[in-house]
Amino acid sequence: MPWRRSGARHNRPKHDAPRIGWPSPLKGGPVTLDELLDDYSRQRDISQGTESAYRTAIGSLCRFARREVYDSDLGPQLLNGWIDSMLARGRARITIRNQSMAILTLWRSTQTDGETPSGLRAVRRVRVPRPIPIAWFPDEELPRLLAATSKAYGYHRPTGISYAAMARAWLLVGYYSGLRGCDLLGLPLRQALGGRPFVVRQSKTDYPVTVSLPPDAIDAVRATLPPDRERFLPIHRSTLHWLVTELTKCAGLEGSPKWIRKTGATAVELHTPGGAMAYLGHKTPGLAYRHYVDQRIVGVHRPTPGRLKI
């Protein structure tokens, strides 16, 4: 099916709660959790998505308590009851874990001495099974995705870049660079077109990684010109998610924007065992295999015992 972007805007406005004028919870008396979050976001400069997730958790806790919740109300009895009620309603364990951790983070922020609040360790921890990494098969499914980009039509209205060129450039640069989505979208255009290795400081870990793009990736980036711009792909994450969703549908596959990094790590591990750690820019051994390398693909090439003579 041809791709067509609906006219609906995907960018959600930032929460419009006042960001100034709240008394600091570290100085005054009891404050609501929303006020506590306002103070926390001023001190930590958290992202819009993180703040929105925290407010969702606060709303869930207030609905359970059937009233406004203050920082002085936080304790094992209230939080364990809230967690148990979500488990009883069949909420996803990953959602329960994330929301409870958000409230616990706000609770910790009320301590001026950095110590753990009394009673925090008595709050129930929700364990979530570790997801198994899944990637696209580099030699079979990735070419199908690249072929599907030619079936896209239309342009990204704010930038004027065609969706076909945008999808192909994202696939190739993401595959060869191994960068996270935030670093990939924020990549300077001059570096992507430079033709020489360059260093990217990862926004998540602040750890530098060296990236070298081959000619086919550089040609894909050049195909997105004009317009001239500062960033490689000046688009919102929601636009990228929509683009990858349509791309995988067209190719008859599944996947998300995170799969391109897992696919690159899996391909590196196939050709250079143990090399996925450097490709991803990790410093922790074993992290690549736990979260990025697709064992289905690498397992096909694992050494196996010889056949038994029976």
Side-chain angles (χ1 to χ4, degrees):
M1 178 181 294
W3 304 9
R4 182 178 295 276
R5 184 82 190 267
S6 66
R9 293 185 61 85
H10 287 251
N11 297 342
R12 297 181 177 179
K14 192 171 178 63
H15 194 278
D16 57 359
R19 300 300 301 273
I20 58 175
W22 292 111
S24 172
L26 304 182
K27 297 179 181 179
V31 294
T32 66
L33 295 188
D34 277 313
E35 294 171 347
L36 185 62
L37 176 57
D38 287 328
D39 187 88
Y40 180 78
S41 61
R42 281 198 302 269
Q43 296 177 13
R44 302 298 180 92
D45 192 25
I46 60 178
S47 68
Q48 175 184 343
T50 301
E51 182 177 347
S52 176
Y54 274 46
R55 294 198 187 277
T56 300
I58 292 172
S60 175
L61 179 59
C62 290
R63 287 191 297 272
F64 168 76
R66 298 183 179 181
R67 61 178 176 82
E68 193 73 67
V69 177
Y70 292 81
D71 61 338
S72 58
D73 297 327
L74 297 178
Q77 183 176 359
L78 173 65
L79 297 182
N80 285 336
W82 172 51
I83 292 171
D84 290 340
S85 70
M86 289 192 289
L87 289 170
R89 295 200 311 269
R91 296 293 301 275
R93 298 184 70 88
I94 183 66
T95 301
I96 300 173
R97 195 275 304 273
N98 291 343
Q99 291 191 357
S100 61
M101 291 302 295
I103 299 299
L104 293 181
T105 300
L106 292 178
W107 192 9
R108 289 191 187 94
S109 70
T110 62
Q111 302 299 302
T112 58
D113 52 8
E115 295 183 358
T116 302
S118 176
L120 186 141
R121 290 189 175 90
V123 176
R124 178 175 181 176
R125 297 298 192 272
V126 180
R127 295 188 178 275
V128 179
R130 180 182 298 163
I132 299 175
I134 301 178
W136 293 306
F137 282 75
D139 298 331
E140 302 172 14
E141 296 178 339
L142 195 57
R144 288 169 57 184
L145 290 169
L146 288 169
T149 61
S150 62
K151 300 179 182 179
Y153 68 88
Y155 291 81
H156 182 241
R157 188 173 301 174
T159 62
I161 304 174
S162 71
Y163 286 128
M166 182 184 295
R168 184 175 182 84
W170 173 81
L171 276 172
L172 291 175
V173 176
Y175 176 74
Y176 287 120
S177 68
L179 295 175
R180 293 182 179 86
C182 55
D183 297 323
L184 189 60
L185 295 181
L187 183 66
L189 181 63
R190 57 179 177 79
Q191 289 186 337
L193 293 173
R196 286 184 279 183
F198 54 90
V199 176
V200 175
R201 187 171 293 277
Q202 301 175 92
S203 58
K204 181 177 181 180
T205 63
D206 203 37
Y207 185 69
V209 291
T210 303
V211 177
S212 180
L213 298 179
D216 54 341
I218 297 175
D219 291 340
V221 176
R222 192 172 288 115
T224 64
L225 299 174
D228 193 15
R229 54 197 184 273
E230 293 185 2
R231 290 191 295 155
F232 159 55
L233 284 181
I235 60 176
H236 194 268
R237 285 181 296 179
S238 62
T239 302
L240 177 61
H241 193 276
W242 169 85
L243 185 69
V244 176
T245 300
E246 295 298 318
L247 178 65
T248 51
K249 285 181 182 178
C250 187
L253 300 171
E254 297 179 349
S256 72
K258 293 184 178 181
W259 282 36
I260 191 63
R261 193 165 187 247
K262 296 176 183 178
T263 303
T266 302
V268 167
E269 200 64 26
L270 280 173
H271 297 94
T272 309
M277 176 179 170
Y279 166 81
L280 295 169
H282 288 171
K283 294 189 291 184
T284 304
L287 191 62
Y289 259 85
R290 290 198 299 270
H291 298 286
Y292 290 91
V293 176
D294 191 330
Q295 301 294 329
R296 303 172 305 156
I297 303 173
V298 176
V300 174
H301 299 267
R302 281 180 52 208
T304 56
R307 294 182 61 89
L308 295 174
K309 296 180 180 179
I310 301 176

